[in-house]
């Protein structure tokens, strides 16, 4: 009977303990593996942000690349690195994430290059907090591009932040954050499209600040397992074009 329905509704009620805090690809099982891949392509290609948001992010990415090339003439691609540092209410939910900027700096400096361009996506309003980073890198925030975003609906700004952060050559994110999670998935899509090293294995140059045992989770292939919401998995992007002939 369910197979013949056009719509299936799964109830969610937080007070009753019913909550679908899970990735679509970890929740649905398809008997035919080709249907599974089709659903993942559908989400990749159609469940995305508006063109207005994507174009605004594209303009900022172009400006960051220009700045990166101006700093280092050998950086012909204009590569820059990105961070997502989640704070505010998140620290009340997960006390272990309450790290000071110097700790975050020390945890990420191994992969980042002094003097390079680093874009930080964050919900922390006091930019002075990030001084350990700005002392070593050429740091930029979304607020540095107000003129570029003057005509954009302010409700779209977090999404622009997310798209820009997904374009870093190296990315450091916040484990447990679904905001970081989507950035990670986008990076998987881009790596596959552009054949970036590691794409065949479903891995990207992405890291987590904490916890220490999760730092390198995204540069190693991991199958889908709980807690599902805490991170994204390569199953969302790896080999999802396997049954499609591409030109």
């Amino acid at each position: 009977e369910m197979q013949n329905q056009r719509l299936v509704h799964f109830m969610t009620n937080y007070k009753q303990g019913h909550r679908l805090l899970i990735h679509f690809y970890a929740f649905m099982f398809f008997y035919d593996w080709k249907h599974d891949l089709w659903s993942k392509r559908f989400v990749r290609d159609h469940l995305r942000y508006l063109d207005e948001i994507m174009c605004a992010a594209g303009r900022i990415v172009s400006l960051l690349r220009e700045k990166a090339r101006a700093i280092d003439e050998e950086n012909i691609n204009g590569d820059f690195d990105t961070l997502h540092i989640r704070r505010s209410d998140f620290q009340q939910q997960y006390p272990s994430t309450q790290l000071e900027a110097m700790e975050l700096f020390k945890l990420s400096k191994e992969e980042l290059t002094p003097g390079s361009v680093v874009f930080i996506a964050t919900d922390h309003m006091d930019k002075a907090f990030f001084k350990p980073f700005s002392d070593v890198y050429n740091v930029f925030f979304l607020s540095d591009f107000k003129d570029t975003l003057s005509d954009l609906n302010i409700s779209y700004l977090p999404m622009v932040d997310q798209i820009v952060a997904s374009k870093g050559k190296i990315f450091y994110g916040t484990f447990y954050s679904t905001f970081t999670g989507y950035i990670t998935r986008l990076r998987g899509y881009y790596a596959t499209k552009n054949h970036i090293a590691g794409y065949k294995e479903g891995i990207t140059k992405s890291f987590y600040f904490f916890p220490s045992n999760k730092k390198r989770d995204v540069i190693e292939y991991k199958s889908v397992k709980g807690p599902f919401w805490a991170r994204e998995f390569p199953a969302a992007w790896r080999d999802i074009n396997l049954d499609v002939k591409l030109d």
Side-chain angles (χ1 to χ4, degrees), residues 175-186:
F175 198 76
Y176 303 120
S177 166
T178 52
F179 193 91
T180 277
Y182 188 53
I183 292 172
T184 303
R185 175 144 53 97
L186 288 173

Side-chain angles (χ1 to χ4, degrees), residues 13 16 31 40 50 70 77 81 83 113 132 136 151 202 218 220 238 242-243 246:
N13 187 310
Q16 295 181 14
Y31 180 77
K40 292 170 180 174
L50 297 172
N77 293 322
D81 300 320
L83 316 174
T113 303
V136 178
D151 296 332
V218 192
E220 300 171 359
R238 180 176 180 262
L242 190 62
D243 62 325
L246 302 175

Side-chain angles (χ1 to χ4, degrees), residues 43-105:
V43 170
R44 179 195 64 192
D45 299 336
H46 301 288
L47 298 185
R48 62 177 185 83
Y49 294 143
L50 297 172
D51 288 346
E52 184 179 2
I53 295 171
M54 301 297 290
C55 290
R59 291 194 296 272
I60 295 174
V61 169
S62 294
L63 290 172
L64 287 169
R65 294 199 189 284
E66 287 179 14
K67 295 178 185 298
R69 281 190 285 264
I71 291 171
D72 181 2
E73 293 181 354
E74 295 184 1
N75 184 2
I76 58 175
N77 293 322
D79 292 330
F80 60 94
D81 300 320
T82 55
L83 316 174
H84 170 230
I85 299 177
R86 174 73 188 275
R87 292 180 65 77
S88 64
D89 64 311
F90 198 70
Q91 295 180 303
Q92 297 175 10
Q93 292 178 276
Y94 307 103
S96 63
T97 69
Q98 295 186 36
L99 300 182
E100 292 302 315
M102 182 54 74
E103 294 178 87
L104 296 170
F105 169 78

Side-chain angles (χ1 to χ4, degrees), residues 103-244:
E103 294 178 87
L104 296 170
F105 169 78
K106 290 178 179 178
L107 288 168
S108 57
K109 68 177 183 177
E110 183 180 337
E111 279 77 28
L112 303 181
T113 303
S116 63
V117 169
V118 173
F119 177 84
I120 300 180
T122 184
D123 58 346
H124 194 68
M125 301 302 293
D126 182 10
K127 298 305 185 288
F129 172 84
F130 300 99
K131 190 175 185 300
F133 289 96
S134 58
D135 283 346
V136 178
Y137 313 113
N138 287 280
V139 171
F140 294 92
F141 302 92
L142 197 64
S143 57
D144 293 319
F145 302 93
K146 290 180 180 178
D147 293 342
T148 306
L149 302 170
S150 58
D151 296 332
L152 193 71
N153 185 325
I154 61 172
S155 298
Y156 294 164
L157 295 181
M159 290 168 268
V160 173
D161 223 10
Q162 205 170 33
I163 298 298
V164 176
S166 72
K167 292 294 187 174
K169 183 176 182 180
I170 293 174
F171 170 70
Y172 261 89
T174 302
F175 198 76
Y176 303 120
S177 166
T178 52
F179 193 91
T180 277
Y182 188 53
I183 292 172
T184 303
R185 175 144 53 97
L186 288 173
R187 289 174 61 75
Y189 292 154
Y190 299 147
T192 301
K193 179 180 179 180
N194 299 309
H195 292 185
I196 297 174
Y199 82 94
K200 289 184 178 180
E201 293 75 35
I203 60 178
T204 63
K205 288 185 178 180
S206 305
F207 303 86
Y208 294 114
F209 287 108
F210 48 75
S212 58
N213 65 322
K214 300 294 185 183
K215 177 179 179 178
R216 305 177 68 84
D217 261 20
V218 192
I219 63 171
E220 300 171 359
Y221 182 86
K222 300 276 185 172
S223 58
V224 178
K225 62 180 180 180
F228 303 106
W229 55 268
R231 56 156 296 179
E232 292 266 359
F233 298 87
W237 62 83
R238 180 176 180 262
D239 283 343
I240 64 175
N241 292 321
L242 190 62
D243 62 325
V244 177

Side-chain angles (χ1 to χ4, degrees), residues 30-40 239 242-243:
F30 292 89
Y31 180 77
D32 188 327
W33 64 272
K34 292 184 179 180
H35 293 171
D36 175 67
L37 298 187
W38 179 89
S39 73
K40 292 170 180 174
D239 283 343
L242 190 62
D243 62 325

